[in-house]
Amino acid sequence: MHPNAFLRTFWQLEVKPQIFVAMSFAPEYRVRYEQVIALAISSIRLNETPLIPYRVDISKSGDSILTDIMEGVSHSRMLLADVSSVGKDSKTGESYRNGNVMYEVGLALACRHPSDVLLVRDDKDKFLFDVSTVPHMHLDFTDIEKARAALQTELLARLREQNYLTDAR
């Protein structure tokens, strides 16, 4: 389903106790997801309910992947996107990021408050101009314990910020 049709037709304010995770599904990112991202998310409890990491490749839904993405972006507490460089351009040598992840980031920024989006990356490469103002953090995924603790701390801070924004409204 096209994102515009989804937002105009099915948008609801229901927020599930989950964090939508946008990242590469390549095997070399599996440890990063399982040992850092998923554990940092599931260690956080909101009103005695643990948060659930939600990735569309793990979804059991029979819907299209685009519908699953829109569901996740619109109904999760927040979106966490690993926007780490995934390669170098063969002609320019410039690093590039996963296009699918950047698409999901764009959707989230179109329909969510910027404080609901957290970008993480493991590189110091030139960052994309369009999202350079979105808060992001560097994580060294090779130090699993330190990365998990740092991510958990940042997620908790973001969730508190969401509460402050809700209270201010």
Side-chain angles (χ1 to χ4, degrees):
M1 175 178 301
H2 190 275
N4 190 333
F6 179 91
L7 291 171
R8 286 189 299 133
T9 310
F10 298 108
W11 180 262
Q12 299 173 4
L13 294 177
E14 173 196 0
V15 177
K16 297 176 183 177
Q18 66 188 26
I19 293 183
F20 183 86
V21 179
M23 65 181 296
S24 173
F25 303 149
E28 57 267 27
Y29 292 90
R30 195 177 103 236
V31 170
R32 171 181 301 208
Y33 174 73
E34 292 174 354
Q35 297 298 313
V36 177
I37 295 172
L39 289 178
I41 292 169
S42 60
S43 70
I44 297 171
R45 301 178 78 78
L46 296 175
N47 301 320
E48 301 305 316
T49 302
L51 286 178
I52 300 166
Y54 176 78
R55 274 188 8 182
V56 294
D57 66 318
I58 300 171
S59 170
K60 307 266 189 283
S61 166
D63 289 332
S64 75
I65 193 163
L66 189 54
T67 300
D68 287 346
I69 290 168
M70 289 306 303
E71 274 287 321
V73 166
S74 61
H75 298 292
S76 296
R77 285 292 304 227
M78 68 175 20
L79 175 122
L80 184 149
D82 182 351
V83 295
S84 300
S85 294
V86 293
K88 301 275 185 193
D89 185 273
S90 62
K91 291 185 181 181
T92 66
E94 297 266 334
S95 62
Y96 61 88
R97 300 177 193 283
N98 185 307
N100 294 324
V101 172
M102 297 312 297
Y103 176 76
E104 294 167 7
V105 169
L107 289 173
L109 292 172
C111 65
R112 300 292 299 262
H113 192 276
S115 66
D116 295 341
V117 179
L118 174 60
L119 308 180
V120 298
R121 62 187 179 130
D122 65 359
D123 61 82
K124 300 283 187 182
D125 296 335
K126 181 179 175 186
F127 205 47
L128 303 164
F129 174 77
D130 292 345
V131 292
S132 61
T133 59
V134 177
H136 61 281
M137 67 182 296
H138 291 89
L139 286 176
D140 177 3
F141 288 101
T142 61
D143 187 341
I144 290 174
E145 298 296 325
K146 187 175 178 183
R148 185 184 315 132
L151 182 57
Q152 181 186 27
T153 299
E154 183 63 23
L155 288 170
L156 285 167
R158 289 307 198 77
L159 292 166
R160 278 192 299 278
E161 184 178 345
Q162 284 180 336
N163 289 338
Y164 296 148
L165 288 171
T166 301
D167 290 348
R169 290 184 190 131

